[in-house]
Amino acid sequence: MPNPENLIPARAGEVRNPAGKPKGTRNRSTIARMVLSMEGQFPEQIFEELRQTYPDLPRFADLEFIATVMQVDKAINKQDTAAYNAVISSAYGAPTQSVDLNQDIIVGYTDVYID
């Protein structure tokens, strides 16, 4: 049975959850977007290694660009399948998968002969 007190709408200015999330608090995705948009630079050793493969690579860029370049490099040079899938999904979207619910289901079996 529902609690009738919870069914009463809050009055103007009434706070029903005083210990709730404070106003102006940023959520994780907002913080992540802020950090990724910050200006940064490649670490010196990594930059020199990447510059051999990607000669037009800028030294300074936003962190999203830097992280993406490093992920692409990991996918190509280290042949990392997970990194490759992350890069492809970022560039082209995740592949859609569908299930045909109208298809007959065939279950494998083995013949057993008992003499």
Side-chain angles (χ1 to χ4, degrees):
M1 183 84 186
N3 185 346
E5 183 180 318
N6 292 336
L7 298 176
I8 300 170
R11 293 184 205 98
E14 181 183 7
V15 177
R16 292 276 175 104
N17 186 8
K21 192 174 189 180
K23 287 185 179 180
T25 303
R26 297 181 183 125
N27 63 27
R28 190 177 314 150
S29 62
T30 301
I31 295 168
R33 284 192 301 270
M34 287 174 58
V35 170
L36 288 172
S37 66
M38 290 178 181
E39 189 73 16
Q41 66 182 21
F42 286 93
E44 187 65 37
Q45 183 179 359
I46 294 173
F47 179 70
E48 294 305 325
E49 291 172 12
L50 291 173
R51 195 71 186 260
Q52 294 173 6
T53 307
Y54 314 104
D56 295 333
L57 189 67
R59 178 81 168 111
F60 298 93
D62 63 37
L63 295 179
E64 184 174 11
F65 177 84
I66 292 171
T68 302
V69 168
M70 293 179 76
Q71 189 80 332
V72 168
D73 186 65
K74 184 177 179 181
I76 294 171
N77 292 327
K78 293 190 171 60
Q79 299 169 353
D80 186 316
T81 304
Y84 172 80
N85 288 333
V87 169
I88 294 301
S89 292
S90 293
Y92 303 107
T96 58
Q97 298 179 358
S98 62
V99 176
D100 183 4
L101 298 176
N102 297 320
Q103 185 177 2
D104 292 336
I105 298 174
I106 300 172
V107 178
Y109 65 93
T110 57
D111 291 333
V112 177
Y113 296 100
I114 300 175
D115 289 333

